Amino acid sequence: MDFSQIIPALPDLMDGMWLTLKLMVMAVVGGVVLGTVLALLRLSSNPVLSGLAKAYVNIFRSVPLLLVIIWFYLAVPMLLNWITGEFVAVGAFTSCLVAFMMFEAAYYCEIVRAGIQSIAKGQVNAAYALGMTYGQAMRLVVLPQAFRKMMPLLLQQSIILFQDTSLVYAVGLMDFLSSARSRGDILGLPHEFLLFAGLIYFVVSFAASRGVKHLQKRLAV
Amino acid sequence: MSSMISINNVNKWYGDFQVLTDCSTSVSKGEVVVVCGPSGSGKSTLIKCVNALEPFQKGDIIVDGISVGDPKTNLPKLRSRVGMVFQHFELFPHLTIVENLAIAQTKVLGRSKEEAEAKGIKLLERVGLKAHAHKHPGQLSGGQQQRVAIARALAMDPICMLFDEPTSALDPEMINEVLDVMTELAKEGMTMMCVTHEMGFARRVADRVIFMDRGHIVEDCSKDDFFGTPRSERAQQFLSKILQH
Ligand SMILES: Nc1ncnc2c1ncn2[C@@H]1O[C@H](COP(=O)(O)OP(=O)(O)O)[C@@H](O)[C@H]1O
Ligand SMILES: [Mg+2]
């Protein structure tokens, strides 16, 4: 085993890590926003809206993420082409981002829904009694409390997402894992580079997990 | 006297279960009305119908000339003019005390942050809690939280106030500090509808007492009549049980 070749390869690997993190952060933000909208729809008293949101969640939770990534890679350009009537080059990054956002939104939706439901009805009544509209009661009273409660779960889900970003190899994106693999292959040191990549995934995820546990304890008091 | 709250033949069902049956009463401007009755008799439901926190299926409620049941009524606007105090305070735990008092003033009434906070501080001073302005609700005792909740409602300059058992979640030694604030408010001429079992408060402050049982308003009379000889047997039983404590 020869790990010395990893050091000169670090700038390339950093580029990969940068893409991985960019994809993760954007997918988390988009996924949480979309997931919150879905959660509000699911909790709406309108059966059509809540039915649609429920179907969305069930569909995305019943298909493999890898399939969604490939499918969006093929479908998003077609869809845009169909909408705008002209050919638009989308690129693997954008299609992956959309796929992750939409896929993760199904999971975030369930977390946010549970968070909203954990806020006592009395809080909503108090907000209404002060003259707030539904939107104000949600935005100013319920969601801030719900997000505080859900934060550990949301972060835990985001750590899973961090690992799942490695699936973008399927559409040729150079994320951290892909760049480690291709470097290793070129240099004829595949095992060393894969071990190194695994170590980095482990360190980042484990440290983040510990951070979440710590946060959970602090939020509990 | 002109009527502030007028409740006319209100009926409400939860599925098949009728919670309110033909409830009618009214509260005049400046009047203090105490609502009492056994647990589960529909007191909270009735008072929540007044500001439309609970919908009702039949009858009507008019608050300051506006029909609560009319689908065209702007309910948030109406509610912003009716103060409400809850059994479990319902302060917003993620906000400081002064933010609790300011948030609806700014977001609902459109007041500036400075104006809202100044008004909040003034009201906190009035309920004796100015020193706690920058704490969070969890750091205050139950009695203090309920006084903040009253101040929060007053910050909206309400035309009347609804109270739903404001002292029944409190430790006994904290009940009076809340009742004192309510008494002072009544003396200043606030129109008040209070669900409470504090009969001492009713004797001192109320103009009228309403007694509810199984969704009906059984007794609706002046305080003196009520504490003299209530006409219904249920009310007599209730009173003798309550007054023993
Ligand atoms: N959301 C609800 N669904 C069904 N029944 C309810 C609901 N809320 C209250 N009730 C019932 O309505 C009755 C009146 O309740 P409530 O107004 O809270 O009584 P009170 O305040 O006088 O104790 C009770 O029997 C209660 O069980
Ligand atoms: Mg009650």
Side-chain angles (χ1 to χ4, degrees):
Chain A
M1 289 255 167
D2 173 16
F3 288 97
S4 63
Q5 290 308 306
I6 290 174
I7 294 171
L10 278 179
D12 274 0
L13 297 186
M14 289 289 278
D15 283 350
M17 183 51 93
W18 174 237
L19 185 135
T20 292
L21 291 177
K22 203 164 70 171
L23 185 61
M24 183 198 87
V25 169
M26 290 168 80
V28 166
V29 172
V32 168
V33 170
L34 183 57
T36 304
V37 172
L38 284 168
L40 291 173
L41 291 178
R42 261 207 90 163
L43 292 170
S44 122
S45 54
N46 182 326
V48 176
L49 294 181
S50 72
L52 281 174
K54 193 172 167 191
Y56 180 101
V57 170
N58 284 337
I59 289 169
F60 275 96
R61 296 221 297 185
S62 312
V63 290
L65 176 54
L66 185 56
L67 184 86
V68 177
I69 291 168
I70 297 171
W71 193 73
F72 270 77
Y73 182 63
L74 302 172
V76 170
M78 248 163 57
L79 207 68
L80 281 179
N81 189 0
W82 180 68
I83 294 168
T84 61
E86 53 196 290
F87 183 77
V88 206
V90 178
F93 183 82
T94 308
S95 80
C96 281
L97 179 59
V98 173
F100 275 108
M101 261 167 38
M102 296 194 62
F103 186 85
E104 292 299 322
Y107 290 85
Y108 287 125
C109 166
E110 293 304 277
I111 297 173
V112 175
R113 183 170 71 114
I116 291 174
Q117 283 176 322
S118 76
I119 305 301
K121 180 93 199 308
Q123 287 282 303
V124 185
N125 273 343
Y128 284 157
L130 287 165
M132 291 188 196
T133 59
Y134 169 81
Q136 288 174 322
M138 278 295 154
R139 199 159 39 82
L140 303 171
V141 175
V142 177
L143 288 177
Q145 293 183 59
F147 272 108
R148 197 161 299 200
K149 275 195 183 175
M150 312 178 294
M151 200 43 85
L153 275 177
L154 288 174
L155 291 174
Q156 206 65 55
Q157 182 65 32
S158 306
I159 295 170
I160 299 174
L161 176 61
F162 169 69
Q163 294 159 9
D164 285 350
T165 51
S166 58
L167 291 172
V168 299
Y169 81 87
V171 295
L173 264 191
M174 275 293 163
D175 73 325
F176 179 63
L177 181 58
S178 291
S179 53
R181 216 162 69 148
S182 82
R183 275 280 115 186
D185 283 349
I186 291 167
L187 297 170
L189 299 164
H191 299 100
E192 286 84 346
F193 273 80
L194 285 179
L195 274 172
F196 177 72
L199 179 74
I200 296 296
Y201 275 107
F202 172 79
V203 167
V204 172
S205 300
F206 187 73
S209 256
R210 292 299 293 260
V212 171
K213 284 229 174 66
H214 182 74
L215 181 75
Q216 210 161 9
K217 266 195 212 127
R218 271 198 37 198
L219 286 177
V221 283
Chain B
M1 264 199 283
S2 58
S3 156
M4 177 66 80
I5 302 168
S6 159
I7 301 175
N8 310 311
N9 290 307
V10 167
N11 288 265
K12 177 178 171 67
W13 287 265
Y14 282 119
D16 288 339
F17 174 64
Q18 183 156 17
V19 215
L20 298 175
T21 309
D22 281 331
C23 292
S24 294
T25 188
S26 74
V27 182
S28 304
K29 282 203 174 105
E31 202 176 22
V32 177
V33 173
V34 160
V35 181
C36 60
S39 171
S41 57
K43 307 177 299 290
S44 298
T45 308
L46 182 68
I47 205 164
K48 280 183 189 147
C49 284
V50 173
N51 64 353
L53 288 182
E54 290 285 350
F56 48 91
Q57 286 82 23
K58 252 179 81 185
D60 198 12
I61 297 179
I62 312 283
V63 176
D64 196 34
I66 296 161
S67 162
V68 174
D70 186 341
K72 289 196 288 290
T73 297
N74 181 342
L75 287 180
K77 183 150 185 243
L78 178 67
R79 291 189 189 117
S80 72
R81 304 172 63 215
V82 177
M84 183 152 199
V85 176
F86 300 85
Q87 185 172 357
H88 297 287
F89 332 131
E90 305 299 352
L91 295 180
F92 304 135
H94 59 299
L95 303 177
T96 63
I97 299 302
V98 68
E99 285 167 348
N100 263 277
L101 274 87
I103 189 163
Q105 291 188 69
T106 54
K107 303 291 177 175
V108 175
L109 301 180
R111 290 179 185 157
S112 73
K113 190 163 176 274
E114 293 71 35
E115 187 189 355
E117 291 193 347
K119 177 149 189 127
I121 297 280
K122 226 169 76 192
L123 282 161
L124 282 178
E125 197 163 15
R126 180 171 159 184
V127 297
L129 293 170
K130 190 179 164 191
H132 301 276
H134 298 287
K135 290 185 179 166
H136 279 82
Q139 296 168 277
L140 268 57
S141 74
Q144 292 172 328
Q145 289 189 52
Q146 194 62 299
R147 280 145 66 199
V148 172
I150 295 173
R152 181 175 69 176
L154 292 176
M156 304 294 284
D157 294 318
I159 53 173
C160 61
M161 291 277 289
L162 309 173
F163 293 83
D164 187 3
E165 304 210 31
T167 57
S168 53
L170 296 179
D171 293 334
E173 71 270 18
M174 293 173 186
I175 290 177
N176 279 330
E177 62 189 69
V178 172
L179 291 181
D180 287 347
V181 172
M182 291 169 63
T183 305
E184 200 184 309
L185 204 55
K187 290 220 173 96
E188 285 167 16
M190 177 61 78
T191 309
M192 292 163 61
M193 188 167 173
C194 315
V195 175
T196 182
H197 288 163
E198 292 297 328
M199 288 301 133
F201 172 77
R203 261 181 216 273
R204 263 183 291 125
V205 184
D207 297 301
R208 266 178 34 240
V209 178
I210 289 172
F211 176 77
M212 289 187 72
D213 190 27
R214 299 189 198 114
H216 294 261
I217 291 181
V218 190
E219 203 69 65
D220 182 353
C221 54
S222 75
K223 161 182 68 180
D224 293 334
D225 284 348
F226 187 78
F227 288 110
T229 41
R231 281 157 291 182
S232 72
E233 203 173 308
R234 288 286 295 173
Q236 283 175 17
Q237 281 172 4
F238 176 79
L239 262 185
S240 67
K241 230 186 275 167
I242 285 267
L243 293 179
Q244 270 166 17
H245 298 307

